[in-house]
Amino acid sequence: MSDDVILETRDLTKHYGGVHALEGANFILRRGEHVAIMGDNGAGKSTFVRQITGVEQPTRGQIIFDGIPRQFSGPIDAREAGIETVFQTLALADDLDVPDNLFLGREKTLFNLGPFSILDYRAMREATLRGLERTAVKIPNIRNKIRNMSGGQRQCVAIARTATFHSKLTIMDEPTAALGVQETAQVENIIRTLKETGEPLILISHNMRQVFDLVDRIVVFRRGRIVANLNKQETDPQDVVAYITGAKTGAEYQDAA
Amino acid sequence: MSDDVILETRDLTKHYGGVHALEGANFILRRGEHVAIMGDNGAGKSTFVRQITGVEQPTRGQIIFDGIPRQFSGPIDAREAGIETVFQTLALADDLDVPDNLFLGREKTLFNLGPFSILDYRAMREATLRGLERTAVKIPNIRNKIRNMSGGQRQCVAIARTATFHSKLTIMDEPTAALGVQETAQVENIIRTLKETGEPLILISHNMRQVFDLVDRIVVFRRGRIVANLNKQETDPQDVVAYITGAKTGAEYQDAA
Amino acid sequence: ETIGVTMALFDDNFLTVLRNGMIEYADELEGVDLQVEDAQNDVAKQLDQINNFIASGVDAIIVNPVDTSATEAMTNAAASAGVPLVYVNRQPINVDSLPENQAFVASNEIESGTLAAFEGCKLLRSMGKSEGANIYIMMGELSNQAAVQRTKDFHDVLAMDMCSFINVIDEQTANWSRDEAQDLMTNWLSSGTQFDGVFSNNDEMAIGAIQAMKASGISMEDVVVTGVDATQDALVAMREGDLDVTVFQNAAGQGRGAVDTALKLARGEDVAQKVYIPFELVTPANIDDYLAKN
Amino acid sequence: MSETTHGTGGLTFDASRRVWPNELNIFGALVLIVLIFEVLGALLMGQSFLFDTQGRFGSIFNEQRLYIIILQVSIVGIIAIGVTQVIISGGIDLSSGSVVGATAMIAMSFAQVAEVNGHPNPKAVFGPAFMDLPVIVPVVVGLACGLVAGLINGLLIAYTRIPPFIATLGMMVTARGVAKWWSKGQPISFPTDSYAMIGNGLGGWMPVFIFVGLAILFQLILKYTVYGKHTYAIGSNEDAARMSGIKVARHKVLVYVIAGMLAALAALVLSSKNLTAQAGMGVMYELDAIAMAVIGGVSLSGGRGSVVGTVLGALIFGVIISGFTFLRLDAYYQEMVKGAIIVGAVVLDQYRQRFASQR
Amino acid sequence: MSETTHGTGGLTFDASRRVWPNELNIFGALVLIVLIFEVLGALLMGQSFLFDTQGRFGSIFNEQRLYIIILQVSIVGIIAIGVTQVIISGGIDLSSGSVVGATAMIAMSFAQVAEVNGHPNPKAVFGPAFMDLPVIVPVVVGLACGLVAGLINGLLIAYTRIPPFIATLGMMVTARGVAKWWSKGQPISFPTDSYAMIGNGLGGWMPVFIFVGLAILFQLILKYTVYGKHTYAIGSNEDAARMSGIKVARHKVLVYVIAGMLAALAALVLSSKNLTAQAGMGVMYELDAIAMAVIGGVSLSGGRGSVVGTVLGALIFGVIISGFTFLRLDAYYQEMVKGAIIVGAVVLDQYRQRFASQR
Ligand SMILES: Nc1ncnc2c1ncn2[C@@H]1O[C@H](COP(=O)(O)OP(=O)(O)OP(=O)(O)O)[C@@H](O)[C@H]1O
Ligand SMILES: Nc1ncnc2c1ncn2[C@@H]1O[C@H](COP(=O)(O)OP(=O)(O)OP(=O)(O)O)[C@@H](O)[C@H]1O
Ligand SMILES: [Mg+2]
Ligand SMILES: [Mg+2]
């Protein structure tokens, strides 16, 4: 395995009782590369993300991140290893406000007193406003609870959280699904900035235009298996849809169909 | 007010403490008409839906549905009056399976014994499979709990629920946000069928192509106010974006900006 | 005059008789107002109630202590506010150091268990079991002083030469309750061990044991059952020949005595600081004397 | 990869790997606990816990032990059935123990005989006009008490939206007050023979019979009726249930009324079985009932669980109590060990579940 | 339409319509209850509830009443502070009352004097070597008891993932068993003078002082430290907290340890104030503590509430208890009315909140 691979999975598999949600996924992501994962609903995309971020333990298979085989026992491990994720379920604390959520688990503090460190509310508030402005979202009062935010506002908070911190790998699971026109454009800009700074990205999206605008390579999932691995230059939307729907299957994945 | 108006709101307003989420909305929907509501995140679209479906009580304003002024005290009232809604939050019971959710509140029964009526599981299961097939979603086992479904599978269940029952008005709040390519196409087909059978629809969506494909008229919200009311024939995507972003405001709504 | 009364527990049969004795007596007297509180077996609550009485400016306080070793703090509270205080039914631990305006009217808890166990022992002997007899002991709530004391008294009696033929198979708690006693007895019965007596910390548990034994067809002739309290239910059971021994404590008499003493203290009159009211053994022989008493 | 009937879009799932039902885990815990007692019994007592090794009953089992194991949890078990549906609906009922106390007092005072052994009833609450009444009177009065308590709980919870914990805590305190006030703390005894049958009929098996009968009934109701489905739905996601058009408030009232009436029924059985009613009856029953349900796999966050599970939870309780007496464990250690076993049973269940979902 | 600092995208909100803080509602309920007692007192007793109308204290207020109102809730109040953070973190602690009992017994047995009035201590637990110890010994031993109980609760809840209700119910039963077993049910009395100061120092104000001091401390901790923020986050959405990288398990252990130690501290104050320890101490305190928190606006589903609210909830309890004695309400009615008032206070709060959010 060469040194320019940031993430590799071998035979990654997840069964939920009788449901085979993910079956033998061999996936490679190089440093600086932006890859999209596409596939129908229930194809296993989020399941794949949950395995590599330590949210769940795979049934079998290996995860090699940054050159080291890993067994993340929880999302904290994955984050500490350098993986930042926007989950499809967003993972926000409903009863807290926006800055609290943005800095959850890595609060800014005034004095360091271990768990009893004093919070620096002002610094977090200011950083939050800066972070949110990058997504162009409109929030009347960031001190309102997340519970009271609109669907798009919530999603922007989750994205701002990921974008505020540097990482070795960013994963976004349908980040713009609930976003409006302007917000979507801004989030796409954020992704372009990542590309420029060389941070690798896995983007899950159903939006063909977005995928073709942003990424280098498209991996297609179907019924829990990877069925295609396409360079953007060598494919087009019709082709991708054919793979998604099962009209076509990648040569090297024939047995998977 | 003429007889062909199915829904009218007058000065409909909702304040959450200091947040003016909806301000003086005057909205009209005619029988058989399909209208889209567009607007940025936090513009007040879902708030508008929550007021007319009785989920919340408006701060002020009137709702006239089917010719009668209404004060829905809860979503049951609205549904009994004939309004079927796909909420943005989906409103599914996580611990129940798909048929249970589809028929929640209007179960098929074998004998009528009031609250102790015996459930007809088989009939519900079969009807569920039929309903889901219209959305093209793939679900390996409909007896799994909703908690374990993917984002798109959940959304399809919510749509199937609405589509399974006839109504005087259907409201869909971002129904295809989490859907894959095929599922989106199918749900759009369902909407076209509604149009053919003359059932009126309010569609909230951020997807410009979808809106221009499906509806007759586009209403734009900005910062809690209606800022434009455009017939599809007389507008185009650029124009709508201009209204959404605030570059333009409809002539009759100048004071609202 | 207002007298504040704090009772250890309202839903205790015996204490209810005592309390009603006080209330009836106060009703007979002109111008005496009783305010009765329920400490619900909580020492801290009882101390708070005393403080609340003081805040309301009562003329005297009667305490039926939850825990006789917790009386020191109560004595201090009342003494520093100058309010007279009378302990009733249970002997306070600081009985020898009570201030001038405090007194107690109590019975000596050691007697009850001793009387019952000794009579039970004599009965077993008279049934010709002096070669060896097996009994079960049913205890009240283990955090309750009377339960601990009575169980200890049982053991003290059984340790005497005269009663040492008695062997305790097992002792368990049924928390004063007839229901738990029924279940406990049935559990004992299910192990099939032969036994000759059940010594219980109170009548309710004794009756529960009797009901369980009768339900599984054991003849009550052959089993010695002892209780404490002489409740009406117990007297009925005794007359039916099921219960053999119980112990009577003059609750109403204690109640009256306490009210009298409190009034005298409030008026600054002289009183005897210690009044003991003895327990009395009840058996089928003298049962008629007690029928109308509790 | 065989069964495809329950999927859409041509998807299949492997039905052979179906998820282990929760109730089986709990049954496993029950068996394990029995086994432990058998082994300890053989080692320490030289006796079998459940089997008739001494030939006392002419049967395989120690029948008396089986009887007491289930009898002693039947009354709390009846309450636990009601509590199970309350918890599944996302609520909690802390009032059941106190409702037992109040109901027992009130019902019993309509069930007294006028004469005991030729003497007038020494515990009479009312005059002779209200004595020697037919058994239906105390039963109806008792159930009405439970209905009223449940109705108040339900109305408070459904319409003022206060947390069930608080509403039923208030009822717990109030009902206990009623129990004490009713006869000024005096116990009420000496019921009519027909009343005594409620708890002692069928050769003493009546409480068991009532418990098991109700358990079967409610298992069916929760599983196969609209009432059950709505109970699960409300517990799973109350907002979703409301938006789906379930009359949530009305349903909740019904749930609490049923729970109240089951507690009242337990009170009738209890006071009848004991031939007395006392103001302190039922103290802590609410916690035991809740613990039985939770040990039986009912989730305190609502939406999950079954009556079968609760029955198994009750049996675990019964086995523990009998096992302790069987081993003649010192009373002082019993409580300590009981606490540990309650926790242990649930931990065991948790691990099996996690193991099952990892497969 | 003035303040714009807290919005993005040029959005404004009307800061003058800011939401009414929850604690004000509860304070309102408290004032209302006091007023009711004042009015009833004037009508029925011809006396003032809080004011010194008879000139007994040479002050505006009936100082003794103010003192007892807060004193009698101080000890449960200390527990309630710990319970508040447990509930905010999405858990519950049923063990605190029993931990009080066990801790009081164990600590007190290290705080005994050797001689009482010249006689050897009649309640001695250990030999003379363990008597007349410096006060630090029983304090450390007591706090260690609380720590151990909390640690066990926390480890069970955090690592086996069993519901807090069950883990702490088990601890409740076990700790009560320990309390009874420690001295075989015998009360333990006659502490040293220095130990007696914990509950009686400062002219009897010590418990109040400790309670208020801890309340302020924990209000600040919950509001302004990482610990507090994580407690709210876990209670609000445990999965989200975990995915955000909070060490949920470790944090929960800390929460329960702190709760256990506060319960232990309450036990020290309680046994010192009463100059005795009893196995039955603290029964039902856990429910009172939870009720205080909930009346004070702490949400049982986690994520919401404050210590200030809990203190107000405790004061409502204190006012009710004192008010009843003041009105000489018959003890039978006290419980019934107390239940109703608990419910009433929460209902009132609920309505104000709903009204506030409708504006
Ligand atoms: N905990 C679980 N238990 C059982 N089945 C599960 C569980 N989680 C996911 N599944 C199933 O696994 C399959 C894959 O789900 P996944 O969430 O990965 O889909 P997805 O590709 O992300 O879809 P979407 O585009 O709708 O988000 C689905 O059929 C889903 O129902
Ligand atoms: N319960 C509430 N309390 C306070 N503010 C609220 C509440 N509900 C919504 N809001 C605010 O009202 C505004 C409108 O929200 P709404 O959900 O209607 O937006 P939307 O147009 O549906 O946005 P999206 O496209 O993101 O779904 C937002 O700023 C939101 O934060
Ligand atoms: Mg997904
Ligand atoms: Mg919306």
Side-chain angles (χ1 to χ4, degrees), chain C residues 276-292:
Chain C
Y276 283 105
I277 293 176
F279 283 91
E280 297 160 39
L281 190 67
V282 183
T283 62
N286 65 356
I287 185 172
D288 289 337
D289 301 346
Y290 295 93
L291 285 181

Side-chain angles (χ1 to χ4, degrees), chain E residues 76-92:
Chain E
V76 182
I78 293 172
I79 301 170
I81 294 172
V83 167
T84 298
Q85 43 135 28
V86 167
I87 299 178
I88 290 175
S89 82
I92 195 141

Side-chain angles (χ1 to χ4, degrees), chain C residues 129-195:
Chain C
K129 305 252 165 105
S130 52
E131 294 304 304
N134 288 327
I135 63 156
Y136 286 116
I137 292 179
M138 276 192 178
M139 299 185 284
E141 216 176 307
L142 294 178
S143 60
N144 185 289
Q145 233 186 326
V148 176
Q149 186 63 50
R150 286 173 193 174
T151 307
K152 181 171 175 296
D153 297 340
F154 288 178
H155 283 289
D156 289 347
V157 169
L158 299 183
M160 300 187 329
D161 280 349
M162 192 194 145
C163 300
S164 58
F165 67 92
I166 299 173
N167 163 46
V168 179
I169 310 172
D170 192 14
E171 60 183 37
Q172 298 286 357
T173 175
N175 294 318
W176 300 128
S177 131
R178 192 187 292 193
D179 186 49
E180 289 189 38
Q182 272 195 48
D183 292 342
L184 175 59
M185 194 69 231
T186 313
N187 270 309
W188 274 332
L189 292 173
S190 66
S191 61
T193 312
Q194 191 275 330
F195 66 101

Side-chain angles (χ1 to χ4, degrees), chain C residues 1-2 10-11 16 19-20 23 33-38 40-59 66-74 76-77 81 93-94 96-97 141-145 148-149 152 173 175, chain E residues 47 54 56-57 62 64-65 67-69 71-73 75 116-117 122-123 176 180 183-190 200 270 272-283 285 288 318 321-332 334-335 338:
Chain C
E1 283 146 319
T2 310
F10 265 33
D11 38 6
T16 299
R19 175 162 44 95
N20 289 340
I23 294 169
D33 243 350
L34 280 198
Q35 183 182 355
V36 190
E37 300 281 352
D38 181 0
Q40 296 171 353
N41 243 341
D42 181 341
V43 278
K45 194 171 272 170
Q46 192 154 44
L47 185 54
D48 291 337
Q49 284 171 350
I50 291 167
N51 277 316
N52 268 310
F53 285 144
I54 295 169
S56 294
V58 296
D59 300 295
V66 168
D67 171 4
T68 56
S69 53
T71 50
E72 188 131 29
M74 299 174 190
N76 295 348
I93 195 158
N94 56 340
D96 294 321
S97 56
E141 216 176 307
L142 294 178
S143 60
N144 185 289
Q145 233 186 326
V148 176
Q149 186 63 50
K152 181 171 175 296
T173 175
N175 294 318
Chain E
Q47 226 181 313
Q54 301 164 305
R56 286 205 295 146
F57 301 92
N62 181 333
Q64 182 98 32
R65 181 107 58 208
Y67 167 65
I68 182 66
I69 283 178
L71 179 70
Q72 69 194 349
V73 293
I75 289 168
V116 182
N117 295 333
K123 294 285 179 186
R176 185 64 64 199
K180 292 177 186 173
S183 65
K184 304 285 173 207
Q186 293 284 0
I188 305 176
S189 306
F190 305 115
N200 297 295
L270 177 66
S272 161
K273 178 176 162 220
N274 288 280
L275 304 175
T276 187
Q278 261 217 323
M281 266 180 167
V283 168
Y285 281 19
D288 278 354
I321 300 170
S322 285
F324 285 161
T325 322
F326 164 68
L327 294 179
R328 300 204 190 135
L329 188 65
D330 197 284
Y332 291 114
Q334 286 193 15
E335 281 192 79
K338 182 179 163 194

Side-chain angles (χ1 to χ4, degrees), chain A residues 1-9 27-35 52 63-70 72 81-83 167-171 198-202 217:
Chain A
M1 177 180 146
S2 65
D3 222 26
D4 69 332
V5 171
I6 179 81
L7 177 78
E8 174 170 4
T9 72
F27 179 90
I28 284 185
L29 182 71
R30 274 164 244 286
R31 289 181 200 279
E33 191 182 28
H34 280 200
V35 166
I52 55 181
I63 298 163
I64 299 145
F65 178 68
D66 207 8
I68 308 162
R70 313 266 185 163
F72 298 131
I83 304 181
S167 61
K168 295 189 189 159
L169 167 62
T170 305
I171 302 176
E199 283 189 31
L201 171 90
I202 298 177
R217 188 155 59 88

Side-chain angles (χ1 to χ4, degrees), chain D residues 30-287:
Chain D
L30 178 63
V31 170
L32 185 71
I33 294 171
V34 168
L35 273 180
I36 291 174
F37 281 122
E38 280 294 350
V39 170
L40 289 179
L43 292 178
L44 304 177
M45 317 295 299
Q47 224 181 316
S48 164
F49 179 50
L50 281 191
F51 297 96
D52 183 23
T53 44
Q54 301 163 304
R56 288 202 298 139
F57 302 94
S59 146
I60 317 177
F61 290 106
N62 181 333
E63 288 173 0
Q64 183 120 25
R65 182 106 58 206
L66 291 182
Y67 165 66
I68 182 64
I69 284 178
I70 179 154
L71 177 71
Q72 69 195 346
V73 293
S74 289
I75 288 168
V76 182
I78 293 172
I79 300 171
I81 294 172
V83 168
T84 297
Q85 42 134 28
V86 168
I87 299 179
I88 290 175
S89 83
I92 196 141
D93 190 353
L94 297 179
S95 70
S96 38
S98 293
V99 170
V100 166
T103 305
M105 296 297 277
I106 296 172
M108 187 60 124
S109 58
F110 290 94
Q112 292 186 292
V113 289
E115 286 200 349
V116 183
N117 291 337
H119 301 267
N121 186 332
K123 294 286 179 187
V125 177
F126 299 126
F130 288 99
M131 309 190 86
D132 287 323
L133 297 172
V135 66
I136 187 74
V137 176
V139 169
V140 168
V141 169
L143 292 179
C145 292
L147 188 144
V148 169
L151 194 65
I152 296 175
N153 281 338
L155 290 174
L156 282 171
I157 292 163
Y159 291 101
T160 71
R161 304 260 191 102
I162 63 176
F165 193 95
I166 287 296
T168 58
L169 181 69
M171 178 56 71
M172 167 183 175
V173 177
T174 301
R176 186 62 65 197
V178 170
K180 292 180 186 173
W181 158 81
W182 181 254
S183 66
K184 305 285 173 204
Q186 293 280 3
I188 306 176
S189 307
F190 307 115
T192 58
D193 285 346
S194 49
Y195 188 78
M197 291 304 288
I198 301 174
N200 298 294
L202 301 179
W205 282 88
M206 189 65 119
V208 176
F209 186 79
I210 295 178
F211 170 46
V212 174
L214 285 171
I216 294 172
L217 179 69
F218 275 89
Q219 171 72 18
L220 295 176
I221 286 182
L222 286 184
K223 203 103 204 225
Y224 296 106
T225 71
V226 173
Y227 175 83
K229 196 56 71 187
H230 287 188
T231 306
Y232 282 95
I234 292 172
S236 172
N237 185 344
E238 190 173 325
D239 283 336
R242 191 170 289 119
M243 290 190 180
S244 310
I246 293 178
K247 301 212 162 81
V248 173
R250 218 181 57 181
H251 190 85
K252 281 191 177 175
V253 173
L254 193 53
V255 168
Y256 284 91
V257 164
I258 290 177
M261 291 180 73
L262 284 171
L265 185 58
L268 297 178
V269 177
L270 177 66
S271 59
S272 159
K273 176 176 163 227
N274 288 285
L275 306 176
T276 187
Q278 314 223 345
M281 268 180 166
V283 168
M284 300 283 273
Y285 280 18
E286 61 279 351
L287 287 184

Side-chain angles (χ1 to χ4, degrees), chain A residues 140 148 150 152-153, chain B residues 16 21 41-47 50 88 174 206:
Chain A
N148 297 335
S150 82
Q153 289 168 339
Chain B
Y16 299 103
N41 294 127
K45 306 179 295 296
S46 298
T47 303
R50 284 197 294 270
Q88 192 171 12
E174 307 193 21
H206 293 298

